[in-house]
Amino acid sequence: MTDTIDALHARMAAAAAALDFEEARRLRDRINLLRGGASADEAAAADLSGVARQRPGAMGLGTSQQRVEPPPGWTPPPRPDPMTRGRGSRRR
């Protein structure tokens, strides 16, 4: 498997030198699949056209965090009134 990864890495470097970045991207994704444990046939047959990669710095720090979406129909609770702060019914 290492010579397959080495051969793909050499092809990727040659494609990048020839400014064929689409082919270099496909080869990079195949290398990542092989390193992840996929067989050579599975890596060659994988359709990676819909894989969206994260763009570093697109959202600043913490770009690996997912955006949390509230469930449908959820409304945020009302904000507390700042004029009633510290005026509870119980006294200390």
Side-chain angles (χ1 to χ4, degrees):
M1 179 161 74
T2 57
D3 41 353
T4 305
I5 291 176
D6 291 337
L8 287 174
H9 187 69
R11 286 177 47 198
M12 180 182 70
L19 302 179
D20 186 6
F21 298 116
E22 291 297 318
E23 180 64 21
R25 177 189 59 85
R26 283 196 248 358
L27 292 168
R28 179 201 61 206
D29 292 341
R30 284 181 60 189
I31 291 170
N32 287 337
L33 284 173
L34 287 173
R35 286 183 178 160
S39 68
D41 294 333
E42 291 171 342
D47 179 24
L48 302 172
S49 61
V51 175
R53 293 200 174 272
Q54 218 171 9
R55 293 178 296 160
M59 295 174 18
L61 295 176
T63 56
S64 63
Q65 296 178 356
Q66 297 179 354
R67 290 186 179 178
V68 178
E69 294 184 16
W74 181 82
T75 56
R79 298 183 85 171
D81 185 10
M83 299 301 289
T84 60
R85 181 175 172 192
R87 295 180 179 246
S89 60
R90 296 187 319 178
R91 292 189 180 225
R92 292 182 191 191

